[in-house]
Amino acid sequence: MTTITSAIAQSHADHRYWQNDLDTWADDVANWKSEQSDALKELKKIADEIYEHGESLDEHNEKIATLASALHAHEKALAECLKSGIEGDMDADLNAHHEKQAVDHAHQREAHERIKKHHHQAMAQVAILRAAMEAAM
């Protein structure tokens, strides 16, 4: 009879120990769910920022197209000057326009380099996050 009582007592002890594990695990999962929810909120913010970055790329591309169009128009105007046989300096308006284009082009070059650096850094961070998530799964 002692063996049965001892076995029952051991079973009860095991159950208390296991219940402690189950309670701890349930607490862990509740904490992890909270962290996972916070992580999703952060990822949503990051996704919104990446979306905004895409909009910035679109705006940058529009500026590039505008500069390309202005360059083409200016080149066409210069060709017309040559065709009409005008000697010497360019017309004052063409010269002023050319100077403005030089400034605009320099500003766009600086903007492009800033955007390029930001883009490469952002994409590198996304790649690091992706690799970390893949390694954890």
Side-chain angles (χ1 to χ4, degrees):
M1 189 157 305
T2 15
T3 0
I4 294 175
T5 304
S6 177
I8 290 173
Q10 183 59 48
S11 290
H12 282 305
D14 287 346
H15 293 170
R16 282 191 302 274
Y17 178 77
W18 294 343
Q19 186 60 53
N20 187 44
D21 280 348
L22 295 172
D23 292 343
T24 299
W25 296 343
D27 287 345
D28 285 345
V29 170
N31 289 331
W32 296 340
K33 288 293 287 180
S34 176
E35 291 172 350
Q36 182 255 358
S37 177
D38 291 345
L40 284 174
K41 289 174 188 169
E42 281 301 309
L43 287 173
K44 171 79 170 89
K45 286 180 191 176
I46 292 167
D48 289 346
E49 289 170 9
I50 292 171
Y51 180 79
E52 288 172 12
H53 174 62
E55 290 176 339
S56 294
L57 292 176
D58 290 340
E59 290 172 17
H60 180 56
N61 203 38
E62 287 173 18
K63 288 177 184 174
I64 292 168
T66 299
L67 288 176
S69 178
L71 179 65
H72 178 73
H74 186 64
E75 187 63 27
K76 188 175 178 182
L78 291 175
E80 288 298 319
C81 277
L82 287 174
K83 224 175 171 183
S84 66
I86 297 175
E87 294 288 328
D89 291 338
M90 289 186 280
D91 178 75
D93 287 342
L94 283 177
N95 195 32
H97 182 72
H98 183 80
E99 293 301 319
K100 182 183 178 317
Q101 278 186 306
V103 170
D104 291 347
H105 188 84
H107 287 142
Q108 197 62 33
R109 175 182 281 122
E110 291 169 6
H112 186 81
E113 288 305 313
R114 278 192 315 275
I115 292 167
K116 179 175 157 180
K117 182 178 180 183
H118 172 74
H119 177 79
H120 287 222
Q121 289 171 341
M123 295 303 104
Q125 291 300 314
V126 169
I128 289 168
L129 177 59
R130 181 180 298 122
M133 292 303 295
E134 288 172 357
M137 298 297 168

PDB file of all heavy atoms in Angstrom, residues 95-108:
ATOM      1  N   ASN A  95      21.493  81.921 -72.766  1.00  0.00           N
ATOM      2  CA  ASN A  95      22.616  81.865 -71.833  1.00  0.00           C
ATOM      3  C   ASN A  95      22.109  81.835 -70.384  1.00  0.00           C
ATOM      4  O   ASN A  95      22.589  81.055 -69.560  1.00  0.00           O
ATOM      5  CB  ASN A  95      23.555  83.042 -72.070  1.00  0.00           C
ATOM      6  CG  ASN A  95      24.886  82.817 -71.377  1.00  0.00           C
ATOM      7  OD1 ASN A  95      25.328  81.675 -71.247  1.00  0.00           O
ATOM      8  ND2 ASN A  95      25.512  83.884 -70.937  1.00  0.00           N
ATOM      9  N   ALA A  96      21.145  82.683 -70.069  1.00  0.00           N
ATOM     10  CA  ALA A  96      20.573  82.718 -68.720  1.00  0.00           C
ATOM     11  C   ALA A  96      19.900  81.383 -68.398  1.00  0.00           C
ATOM     12  O   ALA A  96      20.031  80.850 -67.283  1.00  0.00           O
ATOM     13  CB  ALA A  96      19.577  83.866 -68.592  1.00  0.00           C
ATOM     14  N   HIS A  97      19.191  80.847 -69.391  1.00  0.00           N
ATOM     15  CA  HIS A  97      18.525  79.552 -69.192  1.00  0.00           C
ATOM     16  C   HIS A  97      19.569  78.460 -68.944  1.00  0.00           C
ATOM     17  O   HIS A  97      19.379  77.586 -68.098  1.00  0.00           O
ATOM     18  CB  HIS A  97      17.651  79.213 -70.408  1.00  0.00           C
ATOM     19  CG  HIS A  97      16.897  77.935 -70.250  1.00  0.00           C
ATOM     20  ND1 HIS A  97      15.831  77.806 -69.402  1.00  0.00           N
ATOM     21  CD2 HIS A  97      17.078  76.724 -70.829  1.00  0.00           C
ATOM     22  CE1 HIS A  97      15.378  76.567 -69.457  1.00  0.00           C
ATOM     23  NE2 HIS A  97      16.115  75.880 -70.320  1.00  0.00           N
ATOM     24  N   HIS A  98      20.662  78.525 -69.668  1.00  0.00           N
ATOM     25  CA  HIS A  98      21.730  77.547 -69.505  1.00  0.00           C
ATOM     26  C   HIS A  98      22.307  77.615 -68.087  1.00  0.00           C
ATOM     27  O   HIS A  98      22.552  76.580 -67.463  1.00  0.00           O
ATOM     28  CB  HIS A  98      22.836  77.775 -70.549  1.00  0.00           C
ATOM     29  CG  HIS A  98      23.915  76.761 -70.474  1.00  0.00           C
ATOM     30  ND1 HIS A  98      23.791  75.510 -71.034  1.00  0.00           N
ATOM     31  CD2 HIS A  98      25.145  76.798 -69.884  1.00  0.00           C
ATOM     32  CE1 HIS A  98      24.899  74.827 -70.797  1.00  0.00           C
ATOM     33  NE2 HIS A  98      25.731  75.594 -70.100  1.00  0.00           N
ATOM     34  N   GLU A  99      22.516  78.801 -67.589  1.00  0.00           N
ATOM     35  CA  GLU A  99      23.046  78.975 -66.231  1.00  0.00           C
ATOM     36  C   GLU A  99      22.084  78.398 -65.195  1.00  0.00           C
ATOM     37  O   GLU A  99      22.498  77.756 -64.230  1.00  0.00           O
ATOM     38  CB  GLU A  99      23.337  80.455 -65.937  1.00  0.00           C
ATOM     39  CG  GLU A  99      24.477  81.030 -66.761  1.00  0.00           C
ATOM     40  CD  GLU A  99      25.788  80.292 -66.538  1.00  0.00           C
ATOM     41  OE1 GLU A  99      26.099  79.934 -65.381  1.00  0.00           O
ATOM     42  OE2 GLU A  99      26.509  80.065 -67.530  1.00  0.00           O
ATOM     43  N   LYS A 100      20.784  78.639 -65.396  1.00  0.00           N
ATOM     44  CA  LYS A 100      19.772  78.090 -64.482  1.00  0.00           C
ATOM     45  C   LYS A 100      19.793  76.566 -64.537  1.00  0.00           C
ATOM     46  O   LYS A 100      19.690  75.894 -63.508  1.00  0.00           O
ATOM     47  CB  LYS A 100      18.385  78.616 -64.825  1.00  0.00           C
ATOM     48  CG  LYS A 100      17.319  78.111 -63.858  1.00  0.00           C
ATOM     49  CD  LYS A 100      15.941  78.566 -64.252  1.00  0.00           C
ATOM     50  CE  LYS A 100      14.848  78.062 -63.351  1.00  0.00           C
ATOM     51  NZ  LYS A 100      14.910  76.689 -62.930  1.00  0.00           N
ATOM     52  N   GLN A 101      19.936  76.020 -65.740  1.00  0.00           N
ATOM     53  CA  GLN A 101      20.002  74.566 -65.878  1.00  0.00           C
ATOM     54  C   GLN A 101      21.211  74.006 -65.122  1.00  0.00           C
ATOM     55  O   GLN A 101      21.114  72.951 -64.509  1.00  0.00           O
ATOM     56  CB  GLN A 101      20.110  74.159 -67.351  1.00  0.00           C
ATOM     57  CG  GLN A 101      18.806  74.113 -68.079  1.00  0.00           C
ATOM     58  CD  GLN A 101      19.004  73.549 -69.472  1.00  0.00           C
ATOM     59  OE1 GLN A 101      19.845  74.043 -70.239  1.00  0.00           O
ATOM     60  NE2 GLN A 101      18.239  72.530 -69.795  1.00  0.00           N
ATOM     61  N   ALA A 102      22.327  74.701 -65.184  1.00  0.00           N
ATOM     62  CA  ALA A 102      23.534  74.246 -64.488  1.00  0.00           C
ATOM     63  C   ALA A 102      23.285  74.172 -62.982  1.00  0.00           C
ATOM     64  O   ALA A 102      23.670  73.197 -62.319  1.00  0.00           O
ATOM     65  CB  ALA A 102      24.712  75.167 -64.794  1.00  0.00           C
ATOM     66  N   VAL A 103      22.614  75.190 -62.438  1.00  0.00           N
ATOM     67  CA  VAL A 103      22.298  75.213 -61.001  1.00  0.00           C
ATOM     68  C   VAL A 103      21.308  74.096 -60.665  1.00  0.00           C
ATOM     69  O   VAL A 103      21.497  73.349 -59.687  1.00  0.00           O
ATOM     70  CB  VAL A 103      21.740  76.598 -60.592  1.00  0.00           C
ATOM     71  CG1 VAL A 103      21.184  76.582 -59.183  1.00  0.00           C
ATOM     72  CG2 VAL A 103      22.823  77.660 -60.734  1.00  0.00           C
ATOM     73  N   ASP A 104      20.254  73.975 -61.464  1.00  0.00           N
ATOM     74  CA  ASP A 104      19.249  72.930 -61.235  1.00  0.00           C
ATOM     75  C   ASP A 104      19.880  71.545 -61.296  1.00  0.00           C
ATOM     76  O   ASP A 104      19.572  70.666 -60.476  1.00  0.00           O
ATOM     77  CB  ASP A 104      18.118  73.021 -62.266  1.00  0.00           C
ATOM     78  CG  ASP A 104      17.244  74.250 -62.090  1.00  0.00           C
ATOM     79  OD1 ASP A 104      17.346  74.912 -61.024  1.00  0.00           O
ATOM     80  OD2 ASP A 104      16.461  74.546 -63.017  1.00  0.00           O
ATOM     81  N   HIS A 105      20.756  71.359 -62.264  1.00  0.00           N
ATOM     82  CA  HIS A 105      21.410  70.064 -62.421  1.00  0.00           C
ATOM     83  C   HIS A 105      22.283  69.750 -61.200  1.00  0.00           C
ATOM     84  O   HIS A 105      22.271  68.614 -60.696  1.00  0.00           O
ATOM     85  CB  HIS A 105      22.248  70.047 -63.708  1.00  0.00           C
ATOM     86  CG  HIS A 105      22.783  68.696 -64.034  1.00  0.00           C
ATOM     87  ND1 HIS A 105      22.054  67.750 -64.704  1.00  0.00           N
ATOM     88  CD2 HIS A 105      23.986  68.119 -63.751  1.00  0.00           C
ATOM     89  CE1 HIS A 105      22.773  66.651 -64.839  1.00  0.00           C
ATOM     90  NE2 HIS A 105      23.956  66.854 -64.270  1.00  0.00           N
ATOM     91  N   ALA A 106      23.017  70.733 -60.720  1.00  0.00           N
ATOM     92  CA  ALA A 106      23.874  70.532 -59.538  1.00  0.00           C
ATOM     93  C   ALA A 106      23.032  70.180 -58.317  1.00  0.00           C
ATOM     94  O   ALA A 106      23.389  69.272 -57.544  1.00  0.00           O
ATOM     95  CB  ALA A 106      24.718  71.774 -59.269  1.00  0.00           C
ATOM     96  N   HIS A 107      21.905  70.879 -58.136  1.00  0.00           N
ATOM     97  CA  HIS A 107      21.014  70.567 -57.013  1.00  0.00           C
ATOM     98  C   HIS A 107      20.453  69.153 -57.127  1.00  0.00           C
ATOM     99  O   HIS A 107      20.374  68.429 -56.135  1.00  0.00           O
ATOM    100  CB  HIS A 107      19.875  71.576 -56.922  1.00  0.00           C
ATOM    101  CG  HIS A 107      20.296  72.913 -56.422  1.00  0.00           C
ATOM    102  ND1 HIS A 107      19.790  74.077 -56.919  1.00  0.00           N
ATOM    103  CD2 HIS A 107      21.184  73.292 -55.469  1.00  0.00           C
ATOM    104  CE1 HIS A 107      20.332  75.099 -56.309  1.00  0.00           C
ATOM    105  NE2 HIS A 107      21.206  74.649 -55.429  1.00  0.00           N
ATOM    106  N   GLN A 108      20.082  68.780 -58.326  1.00  0.00           N
ATOM    107  CA  GLN A 108      19.521  67.450 -58.529  1.00  0.00           C
ATOM    108  C   GLN A 108      20.582  66.372 -58.299  1.00  0.00           C
ATOM    109  O   GLN A 108      20.281  65.306 -57.775  1.00  0.00           O
ATOM    110  CB  GLN A 108      18.899  67.323 -59.926  1.00  0.00           C
ATOM    111  CG  GLN A 108      17.958  66.152 -60.058  1.00  0.00           C
ATOM    112  CD  GLN A 108      16.761  66.256 -59.117  1.00  0.00           C
ATOM    113  OE1 GLN A 108      16.270  67.340 -58.814  1.00  0.00           O
ATOM    114  NE2 GLN A 108      16.300  65.124 -58.636  1.00  0.00           N
TER     115      GLN A 108
END
